[in-house]
Amino acid sequence: MPSYTVTVATGSQWFAGTDDYVYLSLEGTAGCSERHLLDKPFYNDFERGAVDSYDVNVEEDLGEIQLIKIEKRKYWYHDDWYLKYITVKTPLGDYLDFPCYRWITDEKEIVLRDGRAKLSRDDKTQILKQHRRKELEDRQKMYRWKEWHPGFPLSIDAHCHSELPRDIQFDNEKGVDFILNYSKAMENLYINRFMHMFQSSWSDFADFEKIFVRISNTISEYVMQHWKEDFMFGYQFLNGCNPVLIRKCTEIPKKLPVTTAMVECSLERNLTLEEEVKQGNIFIVDYELLDGVDANKTDPCTIQYLAAPICLLYKNLENKILPIAIQLGQKPGPGNPIFLPSDATYDWLLAKIWVRSSDFHIHQTVTHLLRTHLVSEVFSIAMFRQLPAVHPLFKLLVPHMRFTIAINTKAREQLICECGLFDKANATGGGGHVQMVQKAMKDLTYSSLCFPEEIKAKGMDSQKDIPYYYYRDDGIKVWEAIKSFAEDVIGIYYESDEVVCEDAELQAFVKDIYVYGMRGVKASGFPKMIKTREKLAEYLTVVIFTTSAQHAAVNFGQYDWCSWIPNAPPTMRCPPPTEKGTVTIEQIVESLPDRGRSCWHLGAVWALSQFQDNELFLGMYPDEHFVEKPVKEAMAKFRKNLDEIVSAITERNKNKKLPYYYLSPDRIPNSVAV
């Protein structure tokens, strides 16, 4: 009588473990085994983190094992069980791994294939073809597209976190409760006493220190000390938490009628402004997207304001990027003066504060929310809908989709919804953020998500001309490491471009992203299909880079750069100045957020900057979806490349007053999960 040894590994997740009846059956090329009882109530098997083994005797040899069926029947109540994997030792002594990494929550039968990655063309038996087809049919019923707001990328069809499929929910929902986390953050920062003081202004800049938390050797304290200085203002466009807007200016726009005479005291090369432009020394940041966006009206006691500035910057002889002209509106005219470094101190300072506030709004809503969170959710939903678990690209991508749909659903439930937390402190709350996403969709293109291409398109690619752009330098290295890894995996499973073209599941994945995620907009440049291995490598790099590195670059610096409120005001309570020579320190403080909004803002940027418990960083793949040796070798090579990048960044940052570490792979989580 042939005997199989079955080893079952239970996860260490919060509710893992079962006191139900658990049955297993094996299905091979020569037949099926009967149901075998592995566990029943009070056996105390399948405890969290446990690995349990069982002998399964069968009447006849089953041939090559193709499927394992696991069935859980409740005893008194449903008991969630997280199954990591099952290993089967055959009568011939061979070992077969069956990855699962799923929650078993009800009385349905779960069917697992062995861990070898297979394209649909590799499945020869009807059993495997049918299993593959049914898995996708079931998933497409669970993972449905839905429009949250007109003009947005489509998202998951779920009103709240608890409605999501169990496999993509957070292990502990309290860990990502925004209301709880913001309240805890304010408690940890000792600012509870201020949090309800809406409409109550601070006295002066120093007064903001009452809520500022000094953490030894952090960027935030350096920002507090130097935020008024032009070099700090300019540096943030390169290496702050929104380093994506600056571009080389190739022509002074007509809507910004700045002349050489206005800025000549800032120019150091004895050239005209036009000559400086031609030499590549002038840069521009334009906040046109904010023009016409409605400011927050949810609090009738506080009128809030937005502006759409244009900022001109200059690379001086020390290669520092400094502001030389700021216009706070898009239409030039007498009521929209161009502010200059040569103006009165408070005129120039308030103009820079308005730019920093506008930058904060674009960062939060476009750079962060739209271009990492919402885009990553599109990738996630399409993956679950169109790629079965046995597909090599599912195995490659699934670690980079961990908790993304869950965090976005939670955000729609508590944070960016009507009357949500976002409305409390942000001038773009109350619907302005929705308008911004709708407007920004026209610039959400495939090429803009290709990191090197986007850097080049902005004229920011030359290390020689712009030597201190660490976001670019580190980002290129991480992009290349991810792309090399993707190429290695593709080379294992796709021996030719023809195989890529014929992979119907891959093409369905790409089409889902284009049709539903990007709403079928041809101008987005998202491909409808992929025809070559080279293009597939680029596409996978876009997906992995966006969900890991790009999110890390624009998320985890929020406390560093935004905790000193005057450097990143989430709202302004007075309109932009319409003439020069009238601004006072009192007017600036009255314009800045009140005590209550300052505290909500500080709690938010603190909470959003924290890593998750048990965070998995780039290159860490503890769940063994892949079992083949060549892929494991590719993973090892990937980790080696990432380690070299970490070492180079660590060496560069030594003794720097402003270290840049957001794109160091040991600080890049695998997925958008916060």
Side-chain angles (χ1 to χ4, degrees):
M1 181 177 288
S3 178
Y4 294 81
T5 302
V6 176
T7 302
V8 182
T10 296
S12 57
Q13 278 80 352
W14 182 245
F15 290 111
T18 180
D19 282 319
D20 298 334
Y21 293 95
V22 176
Y23 299 92
L24 174 139
S25 57
L26 307 173
E27 187 163 346
T29 52
C32 305
S33 69
E34 295 179 357
R35 282 201 320 170
H36 294 267
L37 179 64
L38 297 187
D39 185 50
K40 62 182 181 179
F42 313 119
Y43 264 38
N44 292 324
D45 284 357
F46 306 141
E47 295 294 316
R48 278 189 287 171
V51 177
D52 301 294
S53 290
Y54 308 88
D55 289 328
V56 175
N57 297 313
V58 298
E59 294 294 326
E60 297 178 0
D61 182 31
L62 301 175
E64 183 182 346
I65 301 298
Q66 298 194 85
L67 301 173
I68 283 184
K69 298 179 180 179
I70 292 283
E71 188 181 349
K72 183 168 72 69
R73 296 290 171 184
K74 72 175 182 179
Y75 177 53
W76 278 339
Y77 60 91
H78 283 297
D79 184 20
D80 291 354
W81 175 35
Y82 188 81
L83 174 60
K84 290 175 67 177
Y85 62 83
I86 293 175
T87 300
V88 175
K89 181 184 177 184
T90 70
L92 296 175
D94 297 325
Y95 287 86
L96 297 173
D97 294 314
F98 292 79
C100 182
Y101 302 107
R102 291 166 58 187
W103 286 95
I104 302 178
T105 59
D106 50 31
E107 297 189 311
K108 291 180 182 175
E109 180 181 73
I110 286 192
V111 184
L112 303 176
R113 286 184 58 159
D114 79 75
R116 292 170 295 177
K118 300 285 185 183
L119 301 175
S120 58
R121 69 195 287 255
D122 300 323
D123 286 344
K124 306 302 181 188
T125 68
Q126 199 58 38
I127 293 172
L128 296 180
K129 290 178 181 179
Q130 186 178 353
H131 173 261
R132 193 178 196 114
R133 187 168 55 248
K134 186 169 188 313
E135 181 185 4
L136 289 181
E137 288 172 356
D138 291 344
R139 290 239 213 98
Q140 286 165 14
K141 291 173 185 173
M142 294 171 66
Y143 296 86
R144 301 174 305 276
W145 295 104
K146 180 184 177 182
E147 182 181 73
W148 189 58
H149 274 294
F152 272 52
L154 293 195
S155 50
I156 195 74
D157 184 7
H159 293 97
C160 58
H161 181 268
S162 60
E163 288 185 6
L164 294 174
R166 183 67 183 90
D167 289 331
I168 61 168
Q169 292 182 26
F170 282 102
D171 300 333
N172 179 6
E173 192 180 342
K174 286 185 179 179
V176 287
D177 186 303
F178 286 106
I179 297 170
L180 188 64
N181 285 352
Y182 284 19
S183 301
K184 276 184 183 176
M186 286 184 274
E187 188 178 324
N188 292 338
L189 296 167
Y190 303 107
I191 54 177
N192 303 43
R193 66 191 186 281
F194 297 112
M195 61 183 284
H196 298 298
M197 297 174 70
F198 286 81
Q199 288 82 52
S200 172
S201 296
W202 302 96
S203 303
D204 52 35
F205 293 139
D207 211 16
F208 283 97
E209 290 191 54
K210 289 181 178 177
I211 62 167
F212 184 76
V213 178
R214 283 180 171 78
I215 303 170
S216 181
N217 298 319
T218 62
I219 290 170
S220 56
E221 190 160 350
Y222 195 86
V223 171
M224 182 195 73
Q225 294 164 353
H226 298 279
W227 70 280
K228 294 181 186 177
E229 299 169 34
D230 286 355
F231 97 88
M232 175 59 80
F233 179 88
Y235 179 86
Q236 293 178 72
F237 289 113
L238 297 178
N239 301 310
C241 62
N242 194 29
V244 303
L245 299 183
I246 189 169
R247 61 171 59 243
K248 191 168 280 187
C249 183
T250 55
E251 183 182 8
I252 302 296
K254 290 180 181 178
K255 63 181 180 180
L256 181 65
V258 63
T259 65
T260 299
M262 290 180 180
V263 297
E264 62 184 345
C265 63
S266 298
L267 308 180
E268 299 180 355
R269 295 178 176 87
N270 295 318
L271 300 173
T272 65
L273 180 59
E274 289 71 23
E275 288 169 339
E276 293 279 15
V277 168
K278 286 179 183 175
Q279 289 208 2
N281 298 322
I282 303 295
F283 301 84
I284 192 166
V285 181
D286 189 347
Y287 297 92
E288 184 179 9
L289 185 89
L290 283 162
D291 194 32
V293 171
D294 295 327
N296 193 338
K297 295 182 177 65
T298 58
D299 181 356
C301 298
T302 301
I303 301 175
Q304 300 178 59
Y305 296 90
L306 293 167
I310 310 169
C311 181
L312 210 62
L313 300 117
Y314 175 64
K315 183 184 71 173
N316 70 6
L317 292 172
E318 295 178 341
N319 286 317
K320 289 181 178 177
I321 303 291
L322 302 173
I324 58 171
I326 294 171
Q327 183 177 283
L328 295 180
Q330 292 288 308
K331 294 178 182 176
N336 187 21
I338 297 174
F339 292 93
L340 308 165
S342 53
D343 289 340
T345 300
Y346 291 135
D347 281 5
W348 181 236
L349 182 60
L350 182 56
K352 288 191 293 181
I353 289 172
W354 267 106
V355 172
R356 292 297 310 139
S357 183
S358 301
D359 195 80
F360 175 81
H361 297 311
I362 297 287
H363 166 260
Q364 286 290 1
T365 303
V366 180
T367 308
H368 184 207
L369 174 63
L370 172 60
R371 297 180 68 89
T372 63
H373 277 260
L374 299 185
V375 170
S376 296
E377 182 174 1
V378 166
F379 296 151
S380 298
I381 298 170
M383 180 199 73
F384 282 113
R385 285 174 53 83
Q386 303 298 349
L387 299 177
V390 72
H391 198 291
L393 299 188
F394 179 90
K395 293 172 181 284
L396 175 69
L397 295 178
V398 71
H400 302 287
M401 309 301 166
R402 180 174 178 255
F403 299 145
T404 297
I405 298 174
I407 194 69
N408 286 2
T409 303
K410 203 71 181 173
R412 286 187 287 269
E413 194 182 342
Q414 294 183 328
L415 187 60
I416 57 174
C417 56
E418 191 174 350
C419 303
L421 293 178
F422 194 82
D423 291 355
K424 281 190 175 290
N426 294 284
T428 51
H433 60 305
V434 173
Q435 295 173 354
M436 289 173 69
V437 169
Q438 291 167 333
K439 292 175 74 172
M441 277 296 287
K442 73 179 190 313
D443 297 319
L444 178 59
T445 62
Y446 177 77
S447 63
S448 72
L449 297 180
C450 294
F451 188 83
E453 206 172 318
E454 176 68 352
I455 293 288
K456 190 171 184 179
K458 287 184 163 71
M460 300 295 293
D461 52 314
S462 173
Q463 261 189 296
K464 181 184 175 186
D465 293 343
I466 313 160
Y468 304 121
Y469 196 14
Y470 305 127
Y471 163 73
R472 170 203 61 205
D473 299 342
D474 298 351
I476 293 288
K477 289 177 183 175
V478 174
W479 172 276
E480 291 300 332
I482 293 171
K483 190 177 180 189
S484 176
F485 177 45
E487 288 169 343
D488 288 344
V489 174
I490 290 166
I492 295 167
Y493 298 101
Y494 296 89
E495 69 255 26
S496 67
D497 292 344
E498 187 180 8
V499 179
V500 172
C501 291
E502 292 173 353
D503 184 354
E505 291 164 342
L506 161 63
Q507 304 303 341
F509 166 67
V510 171
K511 187 177 179 181
D512 240 29
I513 290 169
Y514 171 73
V515 171
Y516 296 103
M518 298 305 129
R519 313 299 296 266
V521 177
K522 193 174 181 181
S524 71
F526 273 79
K528 298 177 187 177
M529 66 177 298
I530 290 178
K531 299 179 180 179
T532 67
R533 294 192 294 176
E534 182 183 359
K535 204 66 185 171
L536 177 56
E538 179 188 81
Y539 197 90
L540 295 174
T541 306
V542 165
V543 173
I544 296 172
F545 186 88
T546 301
T547 58
S548 59
Q550 188 60 31
H551 178 256
V554 303
N555 182 72
F556 293 104
Q558 290 189 73
Y559 185 80
D560 286 347
W561 296 100
C562 304
S563 57
W564 179 246
I565 307 293
N567 189 58
T571 189
M572 297 291 275
R573 297 180 298 145
C574 296
T578 55
E579 58 181 329
K580 296 187 182 186
T582 62
V583 178
T584 63
I585 180 70
E586 289 79 18
Q587 183 183 340
I588 294 178
V589 173
E590 280 298 315
S591 296
L592 289 169
D594 54 50
R595 294 170 187 248
R597 287 181 174 84
S598 296
C599 292
W600 272 106
H601 168 82
L602 194 61
V605 298
W606 172 271
L608 291 171
S609 299
Q610 306 306 305
F611 292 122
Q612 289 280 344
D613 292 339
N614 304 316
E615 192 72 80
L616 296 175
F617 295 98
L618 194 59
M620 293 171 58
Y621 301 118
D623 291 355
E624 295 191 57
H625 291 277
F626 283 109
V627 299
E628 296 95 328
K629 186 179 177 183
V631 188
K632 293 190 175 184
E633 289 172 349
M635 286 179 176
K637 176 186 164 188
F638 182 38
R639 282 190 289 271
K640 183 174 181 292
N641 289 341
L642 295 176
D643 288 344
E644 288 172 0
I645 296 171
V646 171
S647 298
I649 292 173
T650 303
E651 185 62 31
R652 181 197 65 209
N653 283 337
K654 276 184 180 176
N655 303 317
K656 273 193 180 296
K657 292 177 180 176
L658 281 173
Y660 186 82
Y661 42 68
Y662 308 116
L663 281 168
S664 184
D666 59 343
R667 290 171 175 256
I668 298 175
N670 266 333
S671 63
V672 176
V674 67

